[in-house]
Amino acid sequence: AQVLAEYARKGIDPLKVVADKVHDVGLQFHASIRMNPDYNPTWMGEWMPNNYNDSFYHEHPHLRIQKKDGTPDWHISYPYEEMRQRKLLLVEELCAYPIDGLNLDFLCHSPFVGYDPPLLERFRQRHGGDPRQLSDDDHHWLAVLSEPMTEYLRGVRRIAGKRIIS
């Protein structure tokens, strides 16, 4: 934090410096963004989640994933438009840099959706009933469950274009 504060004071942008240096030696530079960098409040005590989860996370507990039994998970969920827009702003910020590619890191900190109210309502409107009463692999539920991530990735494509995504 001290190093980053000093860079900010001096007007140094670390990502721009790295991108320029990588390009100077003839390599491509691909930026990476974690798709769900949320830390469990019970993992490693309170310090980790209090210092690594951003203010958006703490200010929006209502956007967290709902488990099948209705209890909240610690991850923020993509079915909420507000969450997807937040992540798209981060993609837009990265794409303003001289990057050659964008790595969307889906390997860390899954899941990304759950039995969240927007998805439960979407399912009810299309199929009737409650998907929590179905098996987890019901094809109608899986189709609805996949839509927020598809919508998000379409937004990434609109922002990044073919320039950096192949």
Side-chain angles (χ1 to χ4, degrees):
Q2 291 173 341
V3 170
L4 292 177
E6 182 67 13
Y7 285 169
R9 189 183 69 70
K10 291 180 178 179
I12 297 171
D13 185 337
L15 188 58
K16 174 94 169 73
V17 169
V18 171
D20 290 344
K21 294 297 181 188
V22 168
H23 286 140
D24 285 349
V25 298
L27 299 173
Q28 288 190 350
F29 180 69
H30 293 232
S32 181
I33 180 172
R34 280 194 177 174
M35 295 292 92
N36 227 356
D38 309 326
Y39 291 90
N40 183 340
T42 63
W43 184 60
M44 294 181 67
E46 292 182 13
W47 186 88
M48 184 71 110
N50 287 341
N51 288 283
Y52 281 96
N53 291 341
D54 66 8
S55 60
F56 183 86
Y57 177 87
H58 293 289
E59 293 164 4
H60 297 85
H62 60 285
L63 301 180
R64 297 210 180 125
I65 289 174
Q66 298 295 306
K67 296 178 185 178
K68 194 171 188 175
D69 67 5
T71 59
D73 195 345
W74 68 85
H75 298 298
I76 296 200
S77 189
Y78 279 79
Y80 297 100
E81 180 68 21
E82 193 174 355
M83 168 58 169
R84 289 193 309 275
Q85 290 306 313
R86 166 100 170 143
K87 287 295 187 180
L88 289 174
L89 285 173
L90 295 173
V91 169
E92 198 171 318
E93 182 179 342
L94 283 175
C95 288
Y97 285 88
I99 62 175
D100 302 297
L102 187 59
N103 171 40
L104 305 175
D105 181 357
F106 285 102
L107 292 177
C108 295
H109 303 275
S110 63
F112 304 97
V113 298
Y115 289 84
D116 309 308
L119 294 180
L120 297 176
E121 182 58 30
R122 195 180 289 189
F123 185 87
R124 278 188 209 103
Q125 288 176 359
R126 289 189 194 157
H127 307 289
D130 186 340
R132 292 173 292 192
Q133 306 305 316
L134 304 171
S135 68
D136 291 338
D137 63 353
D138 177 84
H139 72 280
H140 294 299
W141 173 238
L142 291 176
V144 170
L145 199 62
S146 69
E147 290 172 2
M149 297 313 290
T150 301
E151 292 166 10
Y152 172 73
L153 290 172
R154 285 182 179 143
V156 170
R157 172 64 82 179
R158 277 191 304 278
I159 292 167
K162 294 188 180 212
R163 177 176 75 86
I164 63 168
I165 298 176
S166 57

